[in-house]
Amino acid sequence: MSPVRRRTLLGSALAAPLLSATGCGSPDDALTFFFQARPEEARVRLTIIDEFQKRHPDIRIRTIMSGPDPQQQLLTYCAGGRCPDVVMAWELLYSGLAERGVLLDLRTLLDREPAYAEMLRRDSYPALYDTFTYGGGQYALPEQWSGVFLYYNRELFAAAGLTPPARWRDAWSFDEFLDAARTLTRGRQWGFADAWVPYYSAACFGMNNGAEWFTPPVAPARANLGDPRFAAGFQFYADLAVRHRVAPRVADQLSVSAPDLFRGGRAAMVLGGHWLYSEFAGQEGLSIDVTVLPVGPHGGPGSITDVGSTGLSIAAGSPRIEQAWEFVKFATGPVGQAIVAASGLFVPVLKSAMGSPGFAAAHRDIHNLAVFTEGPDSSRPLPVTPAWGKVSALLERGFNRVLRGAATAASFDGQFTADLNALLESS
């Protein structure tokens, strides 16, 4: 599965006709903006573009939709001398583009505006901002947070007499989570289902048992898969389906997806990020809320999630760097983030926007709003390395054996981890 987990080829294809009309001016004079989005998300970006152009009528913007492999698409564009000016950056992919010299180090622009840079730093969440700091450079500014957490069916929980935690600092334990999932598993109803990438989710359980997945998370030097705490957390996640049968196995979801199970009342909890909110909110007969991931015996005191953020970058070779910088500042700054906050489709990355009435109004049905508003402060980055493509292929092979029940997480300690470390060392 592509690490650009929130998007699909179908979503981009549906959004393309909507965006084709946004190209103002000829290809020679317009600022080009490359991103990936579902149709409803594309509309939010169009709103940001419209507001920007009201303030900057001299800067035209033409949108370029990404396909399923944005990194390869960008490299192809840039090799042909047609690199987009503004580029959506993904936490797992941007470092490879930075290493190739595709992305501009934004410090060259931030250093010219120290007052703005200081304001941005104060209003930003360090975990999100620093995710896009690589090799001493700042290659993107964050534009939205997603993270991962648990959606739950409020009616099913109430009927079972269960109340999950409302804040990251008040996380439930692995045992408490398992007991709840067992209580909620009955007949054709699962206690838990996963709508994310299973081995990413399992790694988050490992991190919630007190161990980093990779050290350091940005430009990692080694993997910690052999750490008994990480392995135990990963195994706990795998056992939910393989041993305890409170969650469907991967094969069980070939005909019905995890979101569909949750929408249909056949899963009481589903793991996913904010990208799922618009799919569940307001659906007739489905009363939802959100809660946090559980914490293992060696983790805590609070629960953590992944950063799950995208940012905006500028192409190093852009002939329109000044115009691109004005747009990036706008979209990632107070006005753009207020639009993001009120959309209900994204979570903003500025504290001022997170606390806005617009964000609360867009999530009025959520009781545990702190899961969103305090999520960025509870976030930890997934591995940021130019070798992620090769690393993820190796991880998927080794991890999936455990998730299928063909091996235990104890198998991580040894040649598997050694091969990963060798790959990181050579990158």
Side-chain angles (χ1 to χ4, degrees), residues 57 125 160 182 186 202 210 232 234 243 256 264 280 289 333 375 409 413:
Y125 296 94
R182 281 173 167 155
R186 57 188 69 176
F234 194 104
R243 178 183 167 198
V256 183
F280 298 150
D289 214 321
D413 191 18

Side-chain angles (χ1 to χ4, degrees), residues 25-385:
S26 72
D28 296 325
D29 66 5
L31 183 73
T32 48
F33 177 23
F34 176 90
F35 66 93
Q36 195 175 52
R38 296 177 298 171
E40 61 270 29
E41 294 170 341
R43 291 187 182 94
V44 177
R45 299 192 187 282
L46 290 182
T47 300
I48 293 173
I49 290 171
D50 288 345
E51 287 299 318
F52 173 78
Q53 291 185 321
K54 288 176 184 176
R55 293 163 171 79
H56 299 272
D58 56 321
I59 302 178
R60 298 175 174 139
I61 296 179
R62 180 165 58 88
T63 58
I64 301 173
M65 287 299 296
S66 165
D69 189 346
Q71 179 165 275
Q72 186 56 51
Q73 191 173 351
L74 277 170
L75 292 174
T76 301
Y77 277 138
C78 296
R82 297 182 294 115
C83 203
D85 301 301
V86 178
V87 175
M88 184 177 178
W90 292 264
E91 62 176 307
L92 292 173
L93 299 182
Y94 84 88
S95 61
L97 296 171
E99 284 273 323
R100 291 174 171 88
V102 172
L103 304 181
L104 180 71
D105 180 359
L106 299 183
R107 291 180 310 169
T108 59
L109 303 173
L110 289 164
D111 288 348
R112 297 184 329 193
E113 303 182 46
Y116 169 77
E118 175 60 24
M119 178 280 293
L120 185 66
R121 265 296 199 178
R122 284 198 312 269
D123 204 13
S124 295
Y125 296 94
L128 309 191
Y129 192 97
D130 294 344
T131 291
F132 295 103
T133 303
Y134 178 80
Q138 187 71 37
Y139 289 99
L141 296 181
E143 61 154 355
Q144 63 86 27
W145 176 82
S146 179
V148 290
F149 39 85
L150 298 167
Y151 292 89
Y152 71 91
N153 186 309
R154 197 180 292 147
E155 292 182 358
L156 294 179
F157 266 69
L162 298 170
T163 303
R167 311 186 80 157
W168 295 94
R169 68 189 185 200
D170 300 324
W172 42 3
S173 68
F174 279 2
D175 287 343
E176 290 168 334
F177 173 78
L178 178 57
D179 287 344
R182 281 173 167 155
T183 299
L184 292 159
T185 300
R186 57 188 69 176
R188 298 178 67 244
Q189 176 184 301
W190 297 102
F192 169 75
D194 190 351
W196 198 27
V197 181
Y199 79 84
Y200 289 2
S201 303
C204 282
F205 276 68
M207 291 191 289
N208 268 304
N209 198 31
E212 287 186 318
W213 188 0
F214 287 79
T215 301
V218 177
R222 71 176 191 275
N224 295 317
L225 311 187
D227 186 312
R229 297 170 299 173
F230 181 88
F234 194 104
Q235 188 67 58
F236 174 82
Y237 171 92
D239 285 345
L240 294 173
V242 173
R243 178 183 167 198
H244 302 300
R245 298 297 290 161
V246 297
R249 297 186 186 221
V250 174
D252 296 329
Q253 296 186 57
L254 294 178
S255 58
V256 183
S257 69
D260 285 340
L261 287 172
F262 185 71
R263 274 190 292 261
R266 293 182 54 200
M269 292 181 280
V270 65
L271 187 151
H274 191 272
W275 71 88
L276 285 170
Y277 177 72
S278 62
E279 295 188 24
F280 298 150
Q283 180 168 318
E284 186 176 354
L286 180 63
S287 176
I288 68 165
D289 214 321
V290 289
T291 185
V292 301
L293 301 181
V295 171
H298 303 289
S303 178
I304 59 175
T305 180
D306 85 303
V307 165
S309 183
T310 59
L312 294 183
S313 300
I314 297 175
S318 169
R320 291 171 281 272
I321 286 177
E322 297 302 326
Q323 297 97 317
W325 178 230
E326 290 302 319
F327 178 68
V328 168
K329 285 195 299 182
F330 181 85
T332 62
V335 179
Q337 287 299 294
I339 295 171
V340 165
S343 72
L345 293 169
F346 304 107
V347 178
V349 296
L350 297 184
K351 298 171 187 175
S352 55
M354 188 76 85
S356 67
F359 184 73
H363 301 84
R364 61 175 58 88
D365 294 332
I366 295 296
H367 295 175
N368 299 340
L369 193 63
V371 174
F372 294 155
T373 60
E374 298 174 5
D377 275 331
S378 300
S379 296
R380 303 293 182 271
L382 296 183
V384 176
T385 169

